[in-house]
Each structure stands twice: as C-alpha cells, then as structure tokens.
Amino acid sequence: GNVTYEGEDRDWMLSLTRNSQSTIDATSLATVDAGGRGFVDGGLWASDLGQRYLEVQRSAITRGVRIRRVFIMDRPDLIDDNGFVGVCDMQRDMGINVRILDSSAIPEVRRSSLFDFIVFDDAISYESTPASSIDGSVRPSIVNTRLELRSARVKNRMERFKDLWEAAHELSR
C-alpha cells in the first residue's frame, strides 16, 4: 500500500530517480523549495540534496526518461525572482520540461490540497509533507515522506499532475 518515513527520506527520492525507466512528473511548491530566503540562498536547489537530485535527473534524462516539473507559485512574489528564473533556466537547459503555475490559476478542485509529490514511471508517488514555518526564515523541514504504491492513489496523483500541468504555463521572458 504505502510506506511512511518520519522526516525527509532523501534516499528514496534519489533511488527512485536513478531507477526510473520512462517518466518523472514532479510538483514543486515555492514555499518548500525556496524556503524563507529564496531559491538560491537556502532553497532546495542550492542544497546538497537539491544538487544530488539534479545530478541523478541529468543521468535519467540521458537514459531517455522524460521529466516534467510544475513550479507552483504559492508565493507569487517569487515569479520574477532572479534566483527562481535561474533555477528554471538551469533545469530547462538540462532537458527538464518546466512550467509555472500561479496559485490563482490552480483548478478549484485542487486548490485546497496542495502538496509536493513526484510520480515515478506512473507507478510510485513520492510525497512529502512540510512543517509550518513560523518565521519564514528557513526552508521548512519535512514532517514525513510517503511512498504511495496503491494503483488507485497513484492514478489520482497522475490525474492531479495532469490538471496542474495543463493549467500551468512556460516561464515568459
């Protein structure tokens, strides 16, 4: 059914990426990925985990894995942030299909239940739950990480990603 780890299990995400055969579809909430400081200073993509994740994604792309990421801008002030634009450019240059979704454009049915998730090969959903950040000064810690294996739940995540992907747009310059 599913497996839960208390905290952030980086090994699951990296191992699933290393072993993906066809697709990786990921959502990224700005409040989680950017933390309180921004995408470059203290954000996921500048961290050791973020750098390792990007490296294994680069390897997956060379194996022919299609990777799509929707950055959900639950902090609209970050859309024009130079650090965010740089993260998008870097990932796009790697071969990741990147789209941006302003929180106001999120389909109503999805708005009340936003969370970070990654669907690997349409078979496993990696889901993380962030803790609330009281002062917003650091990247929120992850309360738990869950691997969802039940096909009905994974299908739900795939449909959720499809809705978000279709509502999102490419970063305009």
Side-chain angles (χ1 to χ4, degrees), residues 7-173:
E8 183 172 37
D9 190 303
R10 59 192 290 138
D11 293 330
W12 285 350
M13 182 172 61
L14 297 174
S15 294
L16 288 165
T17 304
R18 276 188 202 101
N19 291 292
S20 287
Q21 300 295 311
S22 59
T23 61
I24 299 172
D25 290 331
T27 63
S28 293
L29 290 169
T31 51
V32 175
D33 288 359
R37 297 184 209 133
F39 277 86
V40 177
D41 299 327
L44 168 68
W45 304 109
S47 72
D48 176 60
L49 173 58
Q51 292 298 301
R52 288 175 187 242
Y53 183 38
L54 287 170
E55 188 56 40
V56 293
Q57 286 178 95
R58 186 184 321 275
S59 295
I61 290 167
T62 62
R63 293 192 316 272
V65 175
R66 182 200 70 202
I67 302 176
R68 299 185 297 177
R69 175 163 295 108
V70 175
F71 284 102
I72 301 171
M73 303 310 289
D74 47 346
R75 282 183 51 195
D77 59 304
L78 290 174
I79 289 175
D80 296 321
D81 178 79
N82 287 336
F84 172 66
V85 172
V87 165
C88 288
D89 288 343
M90 173 189 56
Q91 292 191 22
R92 195 174 308 125
D93 291 347
M94 285 176 51
I96 297 172
N97 299 305
V98 175
R99 288 194 180 175
I100 315 309
L101 181 58
D102 185 310
S103 59
S104 64
I106 295 172
E108 190 69 35
V109 70
R110 301 293 185 210
R111 208 173 278 172
S112 64
S113 59
L114 289 177
F115 60 94
D116 268 347
F117 66 93
I118 308 166
V119 178
F120 294 92
D121 292 331
D122 296 338
I124 299 173
S125 179
Y126 172 98
E127 305 169 5
S128 59
T129 306
S132 295
S133 178
I134 303 294
D135 61 7
S137 63
V138 295
R139 183 173 168 253
S141 61
I142 301 300
V143 175
N144 63 50
T145 307
R146 182 175 62 228
L147 293 181
E148 185 59 65
L149 306 168
R150 292 175 283 194
S151 61
R153 295 270 176 109
V154 173
K155 183 177 179 186
N156 173 275
R157 301 310 184 259
M158 292 165 47
E159 290 169 3
R160 178 182 298 258
F161 183 85
K162 181 180 178 232
D163 289 347
L164 296 172
W165 184 258
E166 289 174 357
H169 61 84
E170 291 191 17
L171 184 63
S172 60
R173 303 251 179 189

